[in-house]
Amino acid sequence: MTKHDIVERIYSKYQGDLTRNVVKDIVSFVFDEIVREMVEDGEAKISRFGTFKVAERNAKQARNPRTGEPVMIEDRKVPKFKPSRYLQNRVNNLPVEDMKEDDD
């Protein structure tokens, strides 16, 4: 699913109430806010969906797969996602009706 697909699904549900451009702005704003939270706080938690976190990776020695030459990879930050139990249960077709909204 792409960002465009999300916009189209929301637009088709609320057609007549919202314009496609308004829906596009809202979807972009939501994604921008998730990124902003990750940059500022290192974490963005969405109930019943999951948690986006920023993880630190230490520098390490690696190899170029084409040449076999050793390469040094510097310290870096990488985004990670941990799905909530609700999402995991939905994906695995397990019961979710008795789960609280904040169960992650």
Side-chain angles (χ1 to χ4, degrees):
M1 173 174 268
T2 66
K3 193 169 160 182
H4 176 75
D5 294 335
I6 295 170
V7 169
E8 290 303 313
R9 281 188 132 163
I10 294 170
Y11 176 70
S12 67
K13 182 172 182 172
Y14 294 99
Q15 196 170 2
D17 295 329
L18 298 172
T19 66
R20 185 175 273 114
N21 284 336
V22 168
V23 173
K24 184 178 175 184
D25 288 346
I26 291 168
V27 170
S28 292
F29 179 77
V30 169
F31 285 116
D32 290 345
E33 284 300 299
I34 291 169
V35 171
R36 185 188 61 73
E37 279 294 313
M38 290 178 70
V39 169
E40 290 179 7
D41 300 331
E43 179 177 293
K45 183 176 180 180
I46 303 172
S47 294
R48 297 180 69 132
F49 188 71
T51 303
F52 296 91
K53 286 187 178 184
V54 177
E56 302 275 340
R57 293 277 173 92
N58 294 326
K60 67 179 183 178
Q61 183 82 27
R63 284 194 188 282
N64 181 328
R66 289 189 183 180
T67 64
E69 291 181 33
V71 178
M72 190 64 182
I73 299 176
E74 297 181 8
D75 290 345
R76 64 201 184 283
K77 295 178 181 180
V78 294
K80 287 189 166 194
F81 176 72
K82 181 182 177 196
S84 68
R85 282 192 315 166
Y86 175 83
L87 178 57
Q88 287 176 331
N89 287 349
R90 287 292 309 265
V91 168
N92 289 298
N93 293 318
L94 297 173
V96 294
E97 61 275 347
D98 58 347
M99 296 183 73
K100 296 183 201 123
E101 183 161 329
D102 289 336
D103 275 350
D104 284 326

